[in-house]
């Protein structure tokens, strides 16, 4: 078995992971931080590594299975370099549809190369990995059923949350923006999956202050979000607060209801952060959120503005509870996630020796 002080891991992801500044970056950053506290040497993949530097580790960990990480995964596989992958994968298409798409793709490629699908790329990366690390049981089930990945190749590693979000000061946000007990959403504005436009339309029928914090993504939907939000006197849009800022923790602490109406999430780190801050949560049922929130939250149909609106109104009427806050604190802090990840690495390296 590789000793803890000898364990060297290389973290890798898609090239724009830092620029996009979303959940995968948070997952990668805090897993790295807490693994290092356990004595693991973690380096970030540098695309300018020479060959000797590239091979100088015990294991690669890829965050995100997609076309953007495919070349790296294929290179590692071709050179018999072990890697694990956190796929960060979900879709609402059925496992049967995904399986058929992959089969057709492989059939076409056997006739003439160059036919690709997102699903076949994810399937290849998962098949090549020595272990697949989904964030939720629903993600795990989808990968196993649709891509013929065995249960033995799966290790469930949940997403995590920073402990600091349990103690944010709501007064900091109130002093800057003058808003209390608001409805809050944190996420990219203009990405189809995040469904912010439906949220804005649901808020039209709710006479209550609302805050949307997120980086603007230049798209037709993003433009519509800004235009429709501007017409609602109750909505305040703040285009980006740094994830490490005390102001973000304050924003979570000061809200009454946090809404994440995405078409799917695994499970949405922002929702975990808000839950740890003590907010009532309204979220999508798609992607595995029940692993984290159980029956302690309000689930909505992200394709129905009425459902989103009803979920928010129901949560506004509920008395404040610490049940979910305590549950998240006991189960999903990043230090716990890193410990589980570390044990997975150790088991894999022990098996390979």
């Amino acid at each position: 078995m590789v000793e803890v002080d000898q364990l060297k891991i290389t973290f890798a992801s898609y090239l724009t992971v830092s620029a996009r500044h979303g959940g995968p970056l948070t997952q990668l950053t805090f897993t790295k931080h807490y693994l290092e506290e356990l004595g693991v040497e973690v380096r970030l993949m540098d695309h300018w590594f020479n060959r000797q530097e590239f091979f100088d580790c015990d294991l690669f960990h890829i965050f995100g299975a997609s076309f953007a990480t495919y070349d790296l995964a294929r290179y590692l596989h071709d050179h018999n370099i072990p890697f694990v992958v956190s796929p960060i994968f979900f879709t609402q298409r059925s496992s049967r549809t995904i399986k058929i798409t992959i089969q057709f793709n492989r059939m076409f490629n056997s006739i003439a190369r160059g036919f690709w699908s997102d699903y076949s790329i994810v399937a290849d990366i998962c098949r090549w990995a020595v272990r697949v690390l989904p964030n939720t049981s629903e993600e795990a089930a989808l990968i196993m059923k649709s891509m013929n990945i065995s249960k033995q190749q799966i290790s469930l590693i949940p997403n995590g949350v920073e402990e600091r979000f349990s103690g944010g000061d709501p007064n900091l946000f109130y002093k800057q923006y003058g808003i209390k007990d608001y409805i809050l959403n944190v996420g990219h504005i203009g990405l189809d999956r995040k469904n912010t436009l439906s949220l804005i339309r649901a808020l039209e029928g709710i006479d209550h202050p609302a805050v949307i914090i997120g980086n603007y993504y230049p798209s037709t939907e993003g433009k519509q979000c800004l235009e429709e939000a501007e017409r609602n006197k109750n909505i305040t849009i703040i285009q980006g607060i740094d994830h490490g800022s005390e102001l973000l923790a304050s924003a979570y602490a000061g809200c009454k209801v946090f809404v994440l109406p995405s078409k799917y999430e695994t499970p949405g780190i922002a929702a975990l952060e808000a839950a740890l801050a003590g907010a009532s949560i309204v979220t999508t049922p798609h992607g595995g959120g029940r692993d984290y929130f159980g029956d302690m939250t309000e689930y909505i149909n992200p394709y129905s503005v009425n459902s989103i609106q009803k979920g928010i109104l129901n949560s506004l009427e509920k008395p404040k509870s610490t049940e979910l806050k305590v549950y998240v604190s006991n189960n999903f802090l990043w230090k716990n996630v890193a410990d589980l990840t570390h044990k997975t690495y150790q088991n894999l390296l022990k098996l390979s020796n």
Side-chain angles (χ1 to χ4, degrees), residues 124-167:
D124 280 346
I125 294 173
C126 289
R127 182 166 51 86
W128 295 333
V130 294
R131 193 62 57 88
V132 181
L133 312 177
N135 295 142
T136 73
S137 58
E138 197 171 338
E139 182 187 6
L142 184 65
I143 289 169
M144 286 189 286
K145 290 178 183 177
S146 64
M147 301 177 186
N148 292 324
I149 303 298
S150 70
K151 187 176 182 180
Q152 290 68 36
Q153 199 178 341
I154 298 281
S155 290
L156 192 63
I157 304 289
N159 253 320
V161 61
E162 296 169 75
E163 194 169 8
R164 71 185 181 91
F165 287 112
S166 67

Side-chain angles (χ1 to χ4, degrees), residues 72-348:
L72 172 62
R74 181 168 56 182
Y75 186 83
L76 294 172
H77 170 70
D78 289 346
H79 288 79
N80 295 313
I81 302 169
F83 73 89
V84 299
V85 61
S86 298
I88 317 178
F89 169 78
F90 199 77
T91 174
Q92 290 200 59
R93 291 193 170 91
S94 68
S95 58
R96 185 172 182 273
T97 298
I98 298 169
K99 183 177 287 190
I100 291 171
T101 302
I102 293 169
Q103 289 171 346
F104 271 111
N105 187 93
R106 287 176 178 163
M107 181 182 70
F108 287 135
N109 265 330
S110 68
I111 300 169
R113 295 185 62 82
F115 291 93
W116 300 95
S117 72
D118 289 345
Y119 298 144
S120 63
I121 286 170
V122 175
D124 280 346
I125 294 173
C126 289
R127 182 166 51 86
W128 295 333
V130 294
R131 193 62 57 88
V132 181
L133 312 177
N135 295 142
T136 73
S137 58
E138 197 171 338
E139 182 187 6
L142 184 65
I143 289 169
M144 286 189 286
K145 290 178 183 177
S146 64
M147 301 177 186
N148 292 324
I149 303 298
S150 70
K151 187 176 182 180
Q152 290 68 36
Q153 199 178 341
I154 298 281
S155 290
L156 192 63
I157 304 289
N159 253 320
V161 61
E162 296 169 75
E163 194 169 8
R164 71 185 181 91
F165 287 112
S166 67
D169 179 7
N171 291 319
L172 186 64
F173 189 86
Y174 177 71
K175 286 176 182 176
Q176 185 155 339
Y177 293 100
I179 313 170
K180 283 185 177 181
D181 298 326
Y182 39 87
I183 301 159
L184 178 65
N185 168 263
V186 176
H188 292 287
I189 301 168
L191 288 180
D192 176 71
R193 182 174 67 83
K194 290 298 183 179
N195 207 27
T196 313
L197 186 58
S198 291
L199 170 61
I200 290 168
R201 289 172 177 172
L203 291 171
E204 288 177 10
I206 301 174
D207 189 17
H208 195 93
V211 175
I212 298 173
I213 299 173
N215 292 317
Y216 170 73
Y217 190 83
S219 64
T220 300
E221 183 167 331
K223 185 178 178 182
Q224 283 181 282
C225 285
L226 298 184
E227 288 174 351
E228 295 192 22
E230 192 175 358
R231 294 197 293 265
N232 189 330
K233 62 180 176 59
N234 287 322
I235 297 178
T236 299
I237 287 191
I238 303 169
Q239 289 192 41
I241 293 178
D242 186 78
H243 188 264
S245 169
E246 290 183 11
L247 190 60
L248 181 61
S250 176
Y252 285 131
C255 79
K256 180 171 176 56
V257 174
F258 179 85
V259 190
L260 194 65
S262 307
K263 293 178 179 178
Y264 55 86
E265 290 282 356
T266 62
I269 291 174
L272 277 175
E273 292 167 348
L276 188 58
S280 296
I281 305 297
V282 177
T283 190
T284 179
H286 306 302
R290 291 185 189 275
D291 288 2
Y292 298 77
F293 307 122
D295 296 325
M296 295 170 283
T297 190
E298 191 82 26
Y299 295 101
I300 49 86
N301 175 3
Y303 295 95
S304 166
V305 170
N306 287 338
S307 176
I308 298 169
Q309 186 179 94
K310 183 178 179 182
I312 296 171
L313 290 170
N314 287 345
S315 290
L316 286 171
E317 293 173 0
K318 287 180 181 177
K320 200 170 182 69
S321 170
T322 60
E323 183 183 14
L324 181 57
K325 177 186 176 84
V326 171
Y327 182 75
V328 169
S329 179
N330 288 341
N331 292 279
F332 301 115
L333 297 183
W334 280 118
K335 60 183 178 182
N336 300 333
V337 173
D339 185 58
L340 185 58
T341 305
H342 180 218
K343 288 174 181 175
T344 301
Y345 294 160
Q346 287 186 311
N347 290 336
L348 287 171

